[in-house]
Amino acid sequence: MTNQKKVLTGDERKRNSKRRYYTKKRAPKKAASLPPVEQEKVRISFLGGMNEIGKNMTLYEYKSDMFIVDCGLAFPTAELPGVDLVIPDFTHVINNQERIRGIIVTHGHEDHIGGLAYLLKQVNIPVYATKLTIGLIKGKLEEHGLLNKVKLVEIKPRDNITLGSFNIELIHVNHSIPDAVGLAIRCPAGIIIQTGDFKIDTTPVDGDMIDLPRFAEYGKKGVLALLSDSTNAERPGCTMSEKNVGESFELLFRKAKNKRIIVATFASNIHRVQQIIDVANARGRKVAVIGRSLENLVKVGEELGYLNVPKNILIPIDTIKNYPDDKLVIITTGSQGEPMSALTKMAFGEHRKVTITPNDYVIISATPIPGNEKMVGGVVNALMKRGVEVIYEKMYEVHASGHACQEDLKLMIGLVKPKYFIPVHGEQKHLMKHAQLAGAMGIDEKNIYIAEIGETIELTDSYIKKVGTVPSGDVYVDGLGVGDVGNVVLNDRKRLSQDGLIIVVATIDAHGGYVVSGPDIVSRGFVYVKDNEELMNAARDLACRVIDEQYDSKYHDWNSVKTKVRDEISRLMYEKTKRSPMILPIFMEI
Amino acid sequence: MTNQKKVLTGDERKRNSKRRYYTKKRAPKKAASLPPVEQEKVRISFLGGMNEIGKNMTLYEYKSDMFIVDCGLAFPTAELPGVDLVIPDFTHVINNQERIRGIIVTHGHEDHIGGLAYLLKQVNIPVYATKLTIGLIKGKLEEHGLLNKVKLVEIKPRDNITLGSFNIELIHVNHSIPDAVGLAIRCPAGIIIQTGDFKIDTTPVDGDMIDLPRFAEYGKKGVLALLSDSTNAERPGCTMSEKNVGESFELLFRKAKNKRIIVATFASNIHRVQQIIDVANARGRKVAVIGRSLENLVKVGEELGYLNVPKNILIPIDTIKNYPDDKLVIITTGSQGEPMSALTKMAFGEHRKVTITPNDYVIISATPIPGNEKMVGGVVNALMKRGVEVIYEKMYEVHASGHACQEDLKLMIGLVKPKYFIPVHGEQKHLMKHAQLAGAMGIDEKNIYIAEIGETIELTDSYIKKVGTVPSGDVYVDGLGVGDVGNVVLNDRKRLSQDGLIIVVATIDAHGGYVVSGPDIVSRGFVYVKDNEELMNAARDLACRVIDEQYDSKYHDWNSVKTKVRDEISRLMYEKTKRSPMILPIFMEI
């Protein structure tokens, strides 16, 4: 059933191709009812994670069976004001729900699990994942009131799951969260390896190195396609081991001497938190944790056995005043300078429970995600103004990436030896660079495929090609609204934020066609120029004149009057201020 | 008059201090009318450029004389929607205009000249600068209709300017624009060196290395204070020579083979443009320039002799179709991914004159300024999707910084050997790092001063201390409005951009206290929820009810009705959408 193929040599391929030709030519002559012998085909649809960082979601299809890998979210860019989250378009999944046998989740990061609750509200599909990932998914489902409505199946690396015609084995990988897996997806068309997010850590904190031998075994059997993590494809060399970060903590905790230590890190990085706790413990310091997501992680991590917390070391944040500075470590969120995070509030003197003093020693154990550099810099500056020593960015090895760099990526390709290579999980520049690496490893250029979001590709032993597109794209979550913010709203928001708004309001006698009250001018977010009152008066007079002219013309087509008012006032404002506020005429008819 | 002091030894200082003590004690006894012998004092006020990147402006004061160094602008952050530029607060300058003897401008970058026109509109002060800087200032003044109203004085490195009691010598430095200078400011209180923006380039493109000997000579004479550029204080090592970039161009132009080459770079970097032209010329390619600021630079640079353009190599952008791809280089703006720049338009297929094809080879000859990483990444992705090979960031040495790194900064401190050290031109983290470098060079911690914007410090031979503050801060330029956008407007814009706006409009009989027409609900930028119409109806009903209740209460205090309508509708919207749009009740009275 697993149909283990090996990579065909040139001659074998030639023979195969000849045989197909022969079959096709002969079959119709002998018996018209006999179906032509077709190659086995498997299809992959990319519902997210291609040409973007975030909202990873991939759909596999063999004959009538489908299954999904991951269902993540993306965080909104500055181009999406007011949007909370971005999730994939689920139309294709909903349209095919009776064919979908399950969802496999590779690990517990938001960009792989964050869309699940929104999907499972609409379709009921069993979810398969490892223990920690299931634990984190449970938290999500609970928030959305879905906890006991969905089948959650806990599995282990090297376990096999059968989903219709697919049989999938989980393969342990290293990443910045424990319990991450890659997948070996087997179906009659061949074996596909999807790495999931991974790094190669030969000295991982939990001692459990990525299962490279298993990847190699599949490589030996013959792999049809490899889908591999492209996040760090631009970075040369090998990814640093997480253990180096622990060594840096040892050095820095010594350098901090009798200061209070505050470490900011990603909430999901259990191994990082473990190392902070270990070093704190060795130096006789208590640990307090701040930030909802970190508190949750420590709770789940300890419950499920992923975090080993020595007795009595954790103290509630409210009790830190009972300990001298040199007996304390505070672990906090906010390593990306997020405006509402605990570290940012501390830096700007707005945190209720922690007051920063020059006797603090702050370690930002993270590198800024592209786009966050300025926010992180702002927090560093604010902390320094309070006289704090801050360790940040590349000053010491206080952060290790969770994604494989170039040499690691090449090693994976070399072990798996796929026929087809499909870089995933990255922007175009990451995918392209990863494709170049595969090319340098000897994979034929025509066997490397860079997909777009929404594409369905088909793979057989003899080709890889696009066969169609499916509905896909960004769905915005804005408060309780899902998919309710469209381009019109976003464009309005952008315009309002740039130039503000001028409202022209008037009460009009609909029959007589004259103005009963107003027009009045109300502005918000619009530049106050020096002679603002004068300008607003001029706008009012102009609106009056336009309305009067229309009255004289005896037309009383209020829509065209509105348009004229909008155009004229817009022109006046641009002339006087070089700005184009949104002009909103509102006429009340009585 | 220049009063050249040398650094006092411990004994000398002791003697001086004794003499002062003696004088103070004796003088009153001998003759009450005799003034005490005071130490000579010089004051420095920081009007911009401290704890920020941009809008550099420093004011020197000795007795009744003042002069200004630089008058720059800053570009607005994401926190300032709709703002075009940020300039310094000029209040202190205007209040002291009769004491100000001149403005010296160190070089022609926007963060040093961009505020000049706005200042000179308000006060008429002569401007001193080198030839290219004057050329660029002229362009600014022309835009603002000030060209012949201001005295512009062209000076050369090693020239001296006398401004009241001050005598200032210009010292040639290397930077990413030619004709940059540092200043040796002499007054009876001592010598102050202000480096301006600088790097140490031992192989500059124009062959004219920074005048380190002159800095060293002042160091030998004895320097009271050094104000030095902190931009790259976080970067270890030495800054790469601009010439290395030229060598990279040679390599890359060869690698581009018969493709068309497009190079994006900062508009002001004349030496970069020179190197592109030189390599293009050597390979028989014509050069076309796109982008208003670049075209202006090439024009000014050629006119003033800073750019050496071989005959017939420059072609108008409209004629590029007459040349094959392998005979063309296009130099363009947009190296920071700016949304309206030429390169961004090309990447997204929106440029009217240049259409990108897979036969293009794009070099982004810049590194992203913090905050621009995401925009630059977006342009790279878009270009790659068009099949273009893109050279960006650190792939090759296609960019050299214009600012001194740690080893260069230390060299400057070592040559100048100042008594007091004041890091300038940087955020807090840069200033702090620079201060640490000075400390490591042996400068006493109490002689290192990190200033805040708006501070006035006083320096004498025996102390450096803050003596006051002057009006300072950010003035926003928004269209034609200068300083007309305040926090209210910005907060409105931010709120509008996050959650949008709901207007409740009604016409009311002011005497009867009843509603004649409406209330109507108008929304902009507000999330459309699934049952939007229903929600808007509920809002209308709610507004009706609130107004009716108030009518029943016989109060007719329309302001309190408005407040109640705002509160109630706000509550409804939050409950139904978890969003807080701006609620704007407008009541027309008839």
Side-chain angles (χ1 to χ4, degrees), chain A residues 81-82 84 234 373 381 392 427 429 478-480 484 489 493 497-498 501 507 517 525 528 577 579 589-590, chain B residues 81-82 84 234 373 381 392 427 429 478-480 484 489 493 497-498 501 507 517 525 528 577 579 589-590:
Chain A
D84 294 327
E234 288 176 300
E373 294 84 352
N381 287 330
Y392 60 101
E427 298 171 15
K429 56 182 186 164
D478 185 341
L480 294 186
D484 302 328
V489 170
R493 286 182 186 171
S497 78
Q498 287 300 306
L501 166 84
T507 304
S517 175
Y528 292 117
T577 67
R579 279 287 166 260
E589 296 185 16
I590 56 170
Chain B
D84 294 327
E234 288 176 300
E373 294 85 351
N381 287 329
Y392 59 101
E427 299 172 14
K429 56 183 185 164
D478 186 342
L480 293 185
D484 303 328
V489 170
R493 285 182 187 171
S497 79
Q498 288 298 307
L501 166 84
T507 305
S517 174
Y528 291 119
T577 67
R579 279 286 167 263
E589 297 184 16
I590 58 171

Side-chain angles (χ1 to χ4, degrees), chain A residues 176 235 240 242 245-246 248-249 252 262-269 272-273 276 294 331-338 341 343 362-370 372-373 375-377 379-380 390-402, chain B residues 429:
Chain A
S176 44
R235 297 202 197 162
M240 189 174 90
E242 179 64 28
V245 179
S248 297
F249 285 149
L252 293 171
I262 299 175
V263 187
T265 189
F266 290 108
S268 60
N269 200 329
R272 189 74 48 88
V273 173
I276 299 167
L294 254 174
I331 310 179
T332 178
T333 52
S335 63
Q336 294 297 312
E338 303 93 326
S341 68
L343 185 67
V362 175
I363 302 170
I364 300 183
S365 176
T367 41
I369 293 168
N372 294 348
E373 294 84 352
M375 290 196 300
V376 176
V379 169
V380 171
V390 187
I391 308 297
Y392 60 101
E393 285 181 31
K394 296 181 185 74
M395 289 168 70
Y396 293 86
E397 293 183 335
V398 289
H399 177 65
S401 171
Chain B
K429 56 183 185 164

Side-chain angles (χ1 to χ4, degrees), chain A residues 51 77 81-84 234 370-371 373-374 377 380-381 384-385 388 392-393 395 427-429 432-433 452 478-482 484-485 488-489 492-493 496-501 503 505-507 516-518 520 522 524-530 575-579 582 584 586 588-590, chain B residues 51 77 81-84 234 370-371 373-374 377 380-381 384-385 388 392-393 395 427-429 432-433 452 478-482 484-485 488-489 492-493 496-501 503 505-507 516-518 520 522 524-530 575-579 582 584 586 588-590:
Chain A
N51 280 310
T77 62
V83 171
D84 294 327
E234 288 176 300
E373 294 84 352
K374 203 133 186 149
V380 171
N381 287 330
M384 285 185 166
K385 277 190 202 165
V388 176
Y392 60 101
E393 285 181 31
M395 289 168 70
E427 298 171 15
Q428 186 73 20
K429 56 182 186 164
M432 293 283 282
K433 190 46 112 176
E452 290 275 341
D478 185 341
L480 294 186
V482 178
D484 302 328
V485 182
V488 174
V489 170
D492 278 356
R493 286 182 186 171
L496 288 168
S497 78
Q498 287 300 306
D499 291 348
L501 166 84
I503 302 165
V505 60
T507 304
V516 181
S517 175
D520 283 350
V522 178
R524 283 293 182 278
F526 180 62
V527 56
Y528 292 117
V529 288
K530 277 205 188 59
E575 187 189 303
K576 295 291 183 193
T577 67
K578 289 282 176 284
R579 279 287 166 260
M582 183 186 285
L584 201 57
I586 303 176
M588 306 285 297
E589 296 185 16
I590 56 170
Chain B
N51 280 309
T77 63
V83 171
D84 294 327
E234 288 176 300
E373 294 85 351
K374 204 136 183 144
V380 170
N381 287 329
M384 285 187 168
K385 278 191 201 166
V388 177
Y392 59 101
E393 286 181 31
M395 290 169 68
E427 299 172 14
Q428 187 72 21
K429 56 183 185 164
M432 293 284 282
K433 189 48 108 175
E452 291 275 341
D478 186 342
L480 293 185
V482 177
D484 303 328
V485 182
V488 174
V489 170
D492 279 356
R493 285 182 187 171
L496 288 168
S497 79
Q498 288 298 307
D499 291 348
L501 166 84
I503 302 166
V505 60
T507 305
V516 180
S517 174
D520 283 350
V522 179
R524 284 292 183 277
F526 180 62
V527 55
Y528 291 119
V529 289
K530 275 201 190 62
E575 186 188 305
K576 296 291 184 193
T577 67
K578 290 282 175 286
R579 279 286 167 263
M582 181 187 286
L584 200 58
I586 304 176
M588 307 283 298
E589 297 184 16
I590 58 171

Side-chain angles (χ1 to χ4, degrees), chain B residues 354-487:
Chain B
V354 182
T355 308
I356 293 287
T357 77
N359 207 42
D360 280 320
Y361 188 90
V362 175
I363 302 169
I364 301 183
S365 177
T367 41
I369 293 168
N372 294 348
E373 294 85 351
K374 204 136 183 144
M375 290 197 298
V376 175
V379 169
V380 170
N381 287 329
L383 286 167
M384 285 187 168
K385 278 191 201 166
R386 291 177 186 272
V388 177
E389 189 165 346
V390 187
I391 308 298
Y392 59 101
E393 286 181 31
K394 297 183 184 73
M395 290 169 68
Y396 293 86
E397 294 182 334
V398 290
H399 178 66
S401 171
H403 299 273
C405 291
Q406 291 179 352
E407 292 310 312
D408 305 320
L409 293 172
K410 284 157 71 183
L411 183 60
M412 179 60 81
I413 295 169
L415 292 179
V416 172
K417 292 178 285 180
K419 173 158 194 170
Y420 303 117
F421 179 72
I422 305 166
V424 297
H425 200 277
E427 299 172 14
Q428 187 72 21
K429 56 183 185 164
H430 307 116
L431 304 179
M432 293 284 282
K433 189 48 108 175
H434 204 177
Q436 282 169 20
L437 295 178
M441 297 286 296
I443 294 188
D444 193 331
E445 201 179 311
K446 71 176 196 313
N447 288 347
I448 299 174
Y449 194 90
I450 296 184
E452 291 275 341
I453 186 171
E455 275 187 14
T456 298
I457 59 169
E458 189 170 273
L459 295 82
T460 72
D461 208 38
S462 57
Y463 63 79
I464 177 168
K465 67 175 183 192
K466 179 179 168 180
V467 291
T469 55
V470 298
S472 71
D474 292 353
V475 171
Y476 306 135
V477 179
D478 186 342
L480 293 185
V482 177
D484 303 328
V485 182
N487 283 333

Side-chain angles (χ1 to χ4, degrees), chain A residues 293-510:
Chain A
S293 49
L294 254 174
E295 289 163 30
N296 182 48
L297 176 97
V298 170
K299 189 171 145 279
V300 173
E302 216 184 341
E303 271 172 20
L304 301 182
Y306 290 88
L307 199 60
N308 178 19
V309 183
K311 227 178 134 186
N312 296 331
I313 195 173
L314 281 184
I315 58 164
I317 190 71
D318 299 298
T319 66
I320 54 172
K321 56 186 171 303
N322 303 334
Y323 299 86
D325 284 353
D326 65 349
K327 291 287 170 243
L328 269 179
V329 175
I330 298 173
I331 310 179
T332 178
T333 52
S335 63
Q336 294 297 312
E338 303 93 326
M340 300 307 292
S341 68
L343 185 67
T344 305
K345 286 184 183 164
M346 289 177 210
F348 290 95
E350 290 161 3
H351 200 280
R352 285 178 304 120
K353 294 177 178 173
V354 182
T355 307
I356 294 286
T357 77
N359 206 42
D360 281 318
Y361 187 88
V362 175
I363 302 170
I364 300 183
S365 176
T367 41
I369 293 168
N372 294 348
E373 294 84 352
K374 203 133 186 149
M375 290 196 300
V376 176
V379 169
V380 171
N381 287 330
L383 287 167
M384 285 185 166
K385 277 190 202 165
R386 291 176 186 272
V388 176
E389 189 166 346
V390 187
I391 308 297
Y392 60 101
E393 285 181 31
K394 296 181 185 74
M395 289 168 70
Y396 293 86
E397 293 183 335
V398 289
H399 177 65
S401 171
H403 299 273
C405 290
Q406 291 179 352
E407 292 311 311
D408 305 320
L409 293 172
K410 283 157 70 183
L411 182 60
M412 179 61 81
I413 296 169
L415 292 179
V416 172
K417 291 178 286 184
K419 174 156 194 172
Y420 304 117
F421 180 72
I422 305 167
V424 297
H425 199 279
E427 298 171 15
Q428 186 73 20
K429 56 182 186 164
H430 307 115
L431 304 178
M432 293 283 282
K433 190 46 112 176
H434 204 178
Q436 282 170 20
L437 295 178
M441 297 285 295
I443 295 188
D444 193 332
E445 201 180 311
K446 71 176 198 307
N447 288 347
I448 299 173
Y449 193 91
I450 296 183
E452 290 275 341
I453 188 170
E455 274 187 12
T456 299
I457 59 168
E458 189 170 276
L459 296 81
T460 72
D461 208 38
S462 56
Y463 64 80
I464 179 169
K465 68 175 184 192
K466 179 179 169 182
V467 291
T469 56
V470 299
S472 70
D474 292 353
V475 171
Y476 306 136
V477 179
D478 185 341
L480 294 186
V482 178
D484 302 328
V485 182
N487 284 333
V488 174
V489 170
L490 289 172
N491 285 339
D492 278 356
R493 286 182 186 171
K494 274 182 238 170
R495 187 155 175 210
L496 288 168
S497 78
Q498 287 300 306
D499 291 348
L501 166 84
I502 289 177
I503 302 165
V504 184
V505 60
T507 304
I508 281 160
D509 183 307

Side-chain angles (χ1 to χ4, degrees), chain B residues 302-321:
Chain B
E302 217 185 339
E303 272 171 20
L304 301 182
Y306 289 88
L307 198 61
N308 178 18
V309 183
K311 228 178 135 186
N312 296 331
I313 195 173
L314 282 183
I315 57 164
I317 191 69
D318 299 298
T319 66
I320 55 171
K321 56 186 170 304

